[in-house]
CSV table of all heavy atoms in Angstrom, one decimal:
chain,number,residue,atom,x,y,z
A,1,SER,N,10.5,11.9,-8.8
A,1,SER,CA,10.8,10.4,-8.5
A,1,SER,C,10.7,9.6,-9.8
A,1,SER,O,9.7,9.0,-10.1
A,1,SER,CB,9.8,9.9,-7.5
A,1,SER,OG,9.7,10.7,-6.4
A,2,PRO,N,11.8,9.7,-10.6
A,2,PRO,CA,11.8,9.0,-11.9
A,2,PRO,C,11.6,7.5,-11.8
A,2,PRO,O,11.1,6.9,-12.7
A,2,PRO,CB,13.2,9.2,-12.5
A,2,PRO,CG,13.8,10.4,-11.7
A,2,PRO,CD,13.0,10.4,-10.4
A,3,GLU,N,11.8,6.9,-10.6
A,3,GLU,CA,11.6,5.5,-10.4
A,3,GLU,C,10.2,5.2,-10.0
A,3,GLU,O,9.9,3.9,-9.7
A,3,GLU,CB,12.6,4.9,-9.3
A,3,GLU,CG,12.3,5.4,-7.9
A,3,GLU,CD,12.6,6.8,-7.6
A,3,GLU,OE1,13.3,7.5,-8.4
A,3,GLU,OE2,12.1,7.3,-6.6
A,4,ALA,N,9.3,6.1,-10.0
A,4,ALA,CA,7.8,5.8,-9.6
A,4,ALA,C,7.3,4.7,-10.4
A,4,ALA,O,7.5,4.7,-11.7
A,4,ALA,CB,7.0,7.1,-9.7
A,5,ASP,N,6.6,3.8,-9.8
A,5,ASP,CA,6.0,2.6,-10.5
A,5,ASP,C,4.6,2.9,-11.1
A,5,ASP,O,4.0,4.0,-10.8
A,5,ASP,CB,6.0,1.4,-9.6
A,5,ASP,CG,5.1,1.5,-8.4
A,5,ASP,OD1,4.4,2.6,-8.3
A,5,ASP,OD2,5.1,0.6,-7.6
A,6,ASP,N,4.1,2.0,-11.9
A,6,ASP,CA,2.8,2.1,-12.5
A,6,ASP,C,1.7,2.4,-11.5
A,6,ASP,O,0.8,3.2,-11.8
A,6,ASP,CB,2.5,0.9,-13.4
A,6,ASP,CG,3.5,0.7,-14.5
A,6,ASP,OD1,4.2,1.7,-14.9
A,6,ASP,OD2,3.6,-0.4,-15.0
A,7,ALA,N,1.7,1.6,-10.4
A,7,ALA,CA,0.7,1.7,-9.5
A,7,ALA,C,0.6,3.1,-8.9
A,7,ALA,O,-0.5,3.7,-8.7
A,7,ALA,CB,0.8,0.6,-8.4
A,8,THR,N,1.7,3.7,-8.6
A,8,THR,CA,1.8,5.0,-8.0
A,8,THR,C,1.3,6.0,-9.0
A,8,THR,O,0.5,6.9,-8.7
A,8,THR,CB,3.3,5.4,-7.7
A,8,THR,OG1,3.7,4.4,-6.7
A,8,THR,CG2,3.3,6.8,-7.0
A,9,LEU,N,1.6,5.9,-10.3
A,9,LEU,CA,1.1,6.8,-11.3
A,9,LEU,C,-0.4,6.6,-11.5
A,9,LEU,O,-1.1,7.6,-11.7
A,9,LEU,CB,1.8,6.6,-12.7
A,9,LEU,CG,3.3,7.0,-12.7
A,9,LEU,CD1,3.9,6.5,-13.9
A,9,LEU,CD2,3.3,8.5,-12.6
A,10,MET,N,-0.9,5.4,-11.4
A,10,MET,CA,-2.3,5.1,-11.6
A,10,MET,C,-3.2,5.7,-10.4
A,10,MET,O,-4.3,5.9,-10.5
A,10,MET,CB,-2.6,3.6,-11.7
A,10,MET,CG,-2.1,3.0,-13.0
A,10,MET,SD,-3.0,3.7,-14.4
A,10,MET,CE,-4.7,3.2,-14.1
A,11,GLU,N,-2.5,6.0,-9.3
A,11,GLU,CA,-3.2,6.7,-8.2
A,11,GLU,C,-3.5,8.1,-8.6
A,11,GLU,O,-4.5,8.7,-8.1
A,11,GLU,CB,-2.4,6.6,-6.9
A,11,GLU,CG,-2.3,5.2,-6.3
A,11,GLU,CD,-1.4,5.2,-5.1
A,11,GLU,OE1,-1.0,6.3,-4.5
A,11,GLU,OE2,-1.0,4.1,-4.7
A,12,ILE,N,-2.7,8.7,-9.5
A,12,ILE,CA,-2.8,10.1,-9.9
A,12,ILE,C,-3.7,10.1,-11.2
A,12,ILE,O,-4.7,10.9,-11.3
A,12,ILE,CB,-1.4,10.7,-10.1
A,12,ILE,CG1,-0.7,10.7,-8.8
A,12,ILE,CG2,-1.6,12.1,-10.8
A,12,ILE,CD1,0.8,11.2,-9.0
A,13,VAL,N,-3.3,9.3,-12.2
A,13,VAL,CA,-4.1,9.3,-13.5
A,13,VAL,C,-5.0,8.1,-13.4
A,13,VAL,O,-4.5,7.0,-13.7
A,13,VAL,CB,-3.1,9.3,-14.7
A,13,VAL,CG1,-3.9,9.2,-16.0
A,13,VAL,CG2,-2.2,10.4,-14.7
A,14,LYS,N,-6.2,8.3,-13.2
A,14,LYS,CA,-7.2,7.2,-13.0
A,14,LYS,C,-7.6,6.5,-14.3
A,14,LYS,O,-8.0,5.4,-14.2
A,14,LYS,CB,-8.4,7.7,-12.3
A,14,LYS,CG,-8.2,8.5,-11.0
A,14,LYS,CD,-7.7,7.6,-9.9
A,14,LYS,CE,-7.7,8.4,-8.6
A,14,LYS,NZ,-6.9,7.8,-7.6
A,15,GLY,N,-7.5,7.3,-15.4
A,15,GLY,CA,-7.9,6.7,-16.6
A,15,GLY,C,-8.2,7.9,-17.6
A,15,GLY,O,-8.0,9.1,-17.2
A,16,PRO,N,-8.7,7.6,-18.8
A,16,PRO,CA,-9.1,8.6,-19.7
A,16,PRO,C,-10.2,9.5,-19.1
A,16,PRO,O,-10.9,9.1,-18.2
A,16,PRO,CB,-9.6,7.8,-20.9
A,16,PRO,CG,-9.1,6.5,-20.8
A,16,PRO,CD,-9.0,6.2,-19.3
A,17,ASP,N,-10.2,10.7,-19.7
A,17,ASP,CA,-11.2,11.7,-19.3
A,17,ASP,C,-11.9,12.2,-20.5
A,17,ASP,O,-11.2,12.9,-21.3
A,17,ASP,CB,-10.5,12.9,-18.5
A,17,ASP,CG,-11.5,13.9,-18.0
A,17,ASP,OD1,-12.6,13.5,-17.7
A,17,ASP,OD2,-11.1,15.0,-17.7
A,18,PHE,N,-13.1,11.9,-20.8
A,18,PHE,CA,-13.8,12.1,-22.0
A,18,PHE,C,-14.5,13.5,-22.0
A,18,PHE,O,-15.4,13.6,-21.2
A,18,PHE,CB,-14.7,11.0,-22.4
A,18,PHE,CG,-14.0,9.7,-22.6
A,18,PHE,CD1,-14.1,8.8,-21.5
A,18,PHE,CD2,-13.3,9.4,-23.7
A,18,PHE,CE1,-13.4,7.6,-21.7
A,18,PHE,CE2,-12.6,8.2,-23.8
A,18,PHE,CZ,-12.6,7.3,-22.8
A,19,PRO,N,-14.1,14.5,-22.8
A,19,PRO,CA,-14.7,15.8,-22.7
A,19,PRO,C,-16.2,15.8,-23.1
A,19,PRO,O,-16.9,16.7,-22.8
A,19,PRO,CB,-13.8,16.6,-23.6
A,19,PRO,CG,-13.2,15.7,-24.6
A,19,PRO,CD,-13.0,14.4,-23.8
A,20,THR,N,-16.6,14.8,-23.8
A,20,THR,CA,-18.0,14.8,-24.3
A,20,THR,C,-18.9,14.1,-23.2
A,20,THR,O,-20.1,14.0,-23.4
A,20,THR,CB,-18.1,14.0,-25.6
A,20,THR,OG1,-17.6,12.7,-25.5
A,20,THR,CG2,-17.4,14.8,-26.7
A,21,GLY,N,-18.3,13.7,-22.1
A,21,GLY,CA,-19.1,13.2,-21.0
A,21,GLY,C,-19.2,11.7,-21.0
A,21,GLY,O,-20.0,11.1,-20.2
A,22,GLY,N,-18.5,11.0,-21.8
A,22,GLY,CA,-18.5,9.5,-21.8
A,22,GLY,C,-18.1,9.0,-20.4
A,22,GLY,O,-17.2,9.6,-19.8
A,23,VAL,N,-18.7,7.9,-20.0
A,23,VAL,CA,-18.4,7.3,-18.7
A,23,VAL,C,-17.6,6.0,-18.9
A,23,VAL,O,-18.1,5.1,-19.6
A,23,VAL,CB,-19.7,7.0,-17.9
A,23,VAL,CG1,-19.4,6.3,-16.6
A,23,VAL,CG2,-20.5,8.3,-17.7
A,24,LEU,N,-16.4,5.9,-18.4
A,24,LEU,CA,-15.6,4.7,-18.5
A,24,LEU,C,-16.2,3.6,-17.6
A,24,LEU,O,-16.4,3.9,-16.4
A,24,LEU,CB,-14.2,5.1,-18.0
A,24,LEU,CG,-13.1,4.1,-18.4
A,24,LEU,CD1,-13.0,3.8,-19.8
A,24,LEU,CD2,-11.8,4.6,-17.8
A,25,VAL,N,-16.5,2.5,-18.2
A,25,VAL,CA,-17.2,1.4,-17.4
A,25,VAL,C,-16.2,0.2,-17.1
A,25,VAL,O,-16.6,-0.7,-16.4
A,25,VAL,CB,-18.4,0.9,-18.0
A,25,VAL,CG1,-19.5,2.0,-18.1
A,25,VAL,CG2,-18.2,0.3,-19.4
A,26,ASP,N,-15.0,0.2,-17.6
A,26,ASP,CA,-14.1,-0.9,-17.3
A,26,ASP,C,-13.5,-0.8,-15.9
A,26,ASP,O,-13.5,0.3,-15.3
A,26,ASP,CB,-12.9,-0.9,-18.3
A,26,ASP,CG,-13.3,-1.3,-19.7
A,26,ASP,OD1,-14.0,-2.3,-19.8
A,26,ASP,OD2,-12.9,-0.6,-20.6
A,27,ASN,N,-13.2,-1.9,-15.3
A,27,ASN,CA,-12.6,-1.9,-14.0
A,27,ASN,C,-11.2,-1.4,-14.0
A,27,ASN,O,-10.5,-1.4,-15.0
A,27,ASN,CB,-12.8,-3.2,-13.2
A,27,ASN,CG,-12.0,-4.3,-13.8
A,27,ASN,OD1,-10.9,-4.1,-14.2
A,27,ASN,ND2,-12.6,-5.5,-14.0
A,28,GLN,N,-10.7,-1.1,-12.8
A,28,GLN,CA,-9.3,-0.5,-12.7
A,28,GLN,C,-8.3,-1.5,-13.2
A,28,GLN,O,-7.3,-1.1,-13.7
A,28,GLN,CB,-9.0,-0.1,-11.2
A,28,GLN,CG,-7.9,0.9,-11.1
A,28,GLN,CD,-8.1,2.2,-11.8
A,28,GLN,OE1,-9.2,2.8,-11.9
A,28,GLN,NE2,-7.1,2.7,-12.5
A,29,ALA,N,-8.5,-2.8,-13.0
A,29,ALA,CA,-7.4,-3.8,-13.4
A,29,ALA,C,-7.3,-3.7,-15.0
A,29,ALA,O,-6.2,-3.8,-15.5
A,29,ALA,CB,-7.8,-5.1,-13.0
A,30,ILE,N,-8.4,-3.6,-15.7
A,30,ILE,CA,-8.3,-3.5,-17.2
A,30,ILE,C,-7.6,-2.2,-17.6
A,30,ILE,O,-6.8,-2.2,-18.5
A,30,ILE,CB,-9.7,-3.7,-17.8
A,30,ILE,CG1,-10.2,-5.1,-17.6
A,30,ILE,CG2,-9.7,-3.2,-19.2
A,30,ILE,CD1,-11.7,-5.3,-18.0
């Protein structure tokens, strides 16, 4: 689905994934 929008992609890729165990504390809007 090349026309997939940002919101749909963000349902799959939630944000960075830090291999050293860092915890992302920003909210989803940021």
Side-chain angles (χ1 to χ4, degrees):
S1 304
E3 71 287 343
D5 63 4
D6 296 339
T8 304
L9 289 170
M10 289 296 300
E11 290 176 16
I12 298 171
V13 180
K14 307 289 186 198
D17 186 23
F18 301 101
T20 56
V23 179
L24 191 60
V25 296
D26 288 314
N27 66 42
Q28 197 61 40
I30 290 173

